[in-house]
Amino acid sequence: MSPLLMYQLVALMLLAIGLYGIVWRKSFVGMLISVELMLNGAGLSIVAASQLTEAGNSIGQIAALFIMGLAAAEATLVLAIIVVVARRFKSVETDAVSRLKG
Amino acid sequence: MMELLAKIAFAVYAILILGGGTIAVGAHSLVRALVGLICSLLGVAGMYMLMAAPFMAFMQILIYVGAVCVLIFFAIMLSQADAQGIESGTRRPGKAALSALTFIAPVFVIGFILVKFQPASISLPVEVPLITIGKGLLEDYPVAFELISVVLLAAMGGAVLLAFEKKGRKV
């Protein structure tokens, strides 16, 4: 088994665990945690693909840095949305927040 | 082939990542789930070290463990989650089957493709000097670099706008 394949399998497991969590979780915070797991899997996979093959090394790390920046922006926005939803619905359960009215 | 020590380190990090991830999606208490997420992120940082990318490991700890996890902790605190955890309640029927399917499907499909078409891999990764990454960010991809800054600024401005409580008006 090549080293690249081992890293890719770990990244794939991170993606699958994140997908499982995003369906299984009932609250927005739990879903946010799952999304972070999936983004980490993506970063790990990209860095592994650039470090362990003949492709350019720096571009993989730059792409992973972009992923980290996007994750930070996404977490900020989701935090604000959770605050607004918790204030308006008094709950962050996805089942309670199923009313689509302005 | 990897050295024996590197293999042991890889196994330790893999256990840390997968165990932490399992806790992160399975724990009833959201704070425990956050601790699992931190374990998982630290394991990923260790794997970056193993791949001769120490700068990425540093940024992983700085941004994810330092910033994003604190943000998630704020989200847990501000969402007034009760002590028992809303995750422990009953779920709609069929949700367990659906989530099991979302776990199994990518593992089998992508895993099969990965194992079937194994990409060629070099055994010893080389470390990229930091100056190359900096040059790549500022000379080769300056537009993407600026755009990510604008996205961060817009997200933070939007977050402040969303969470800002207006006086006299029911939100």
Side-chain angles (χ1 to χ4, degrees), chain B residues 8-82:
Chain B
I8 293 172
F10 182 87
V12 169
Y13 291 141
I15 289 170
L16 201 61
I17 288 175
L18 299 181
T22 313
I23 294 172
V25 296
H28 285 323
S29 155
L30 281 176
V31 180
R32 275 187 202 153
L34 183 61
V35 173
L37 177 70
I38 291 174
C39 276
S40 193
L41 298 182
L42 287 178
V44 173
M47 285 211 166
Y48 285 153
M49 287 295 273
L50 218 54
M51 278 187 276
F55 178 65
M56 291 309 298
F58 178 63
M59 289 318 261
Q60 170 90 8
I61 291 176
L62 200 69
I63 297 180
Y64 270 116
V65 183
V68 172
C69 283
V70 172
L71 267 180
I72 296 177
F73 191 67
F74 269 108
I76 294 174
M77 284 198 300
L78 290 175
S79 63
Q80 304 150 343
D82 46 351

Side-chain angles (χ1 to χ4, degrees), chain A:
Chain A
M1 205 190 260
S2 67
L4 177 58
L5 182 66
M6 287 158 70
Y7 286 109
Q8 300 283 33
L9 284 181
V10 172
L12 172 63
M13 284 307 288
L14 268 180
L15 168 77
I17 289 174
L19 275 174
Y20 172 85
I22 212 168
V23 177
W24 177 247
R25 281 295 192 191
K26 278 169 74 182
S27 68
F28 288 125
V29 183
M31 291 164 84
L32 174 60
I33 289 176
S34 308
V35 170
E36 295 301 332
L37 279 179
M38 286 159 66
L39 284 171
N40 258 279
L44 183 62
S45 169
I46 290 177
V47 174
S50 73
Q51 285 291 101
L52 294 174
T53 57
E54 302 289 341
N57 279 6
S58 64
I59 185 155
Q61 304 199 12
I62 290 172
L65 282 177
F66 283 151
I67 290 179
M68 285 183 192
L70 280 181
E74 170 256 350
T76 319
L77 261 187
V78 174
L79 169 65
I81 291 172
I82 284 173
V83 169
V84 171
V85 166
R87 206 183 281 153
R88 184 185 292 202
F89 290 88
K90 305 278 180 261
S91 157
V92 282
E93 271 186 74
T94 46
D95 286 346
V97 194
S98 55
R99 187 179 53 173
L100 261 188
K101 251 193 287 183

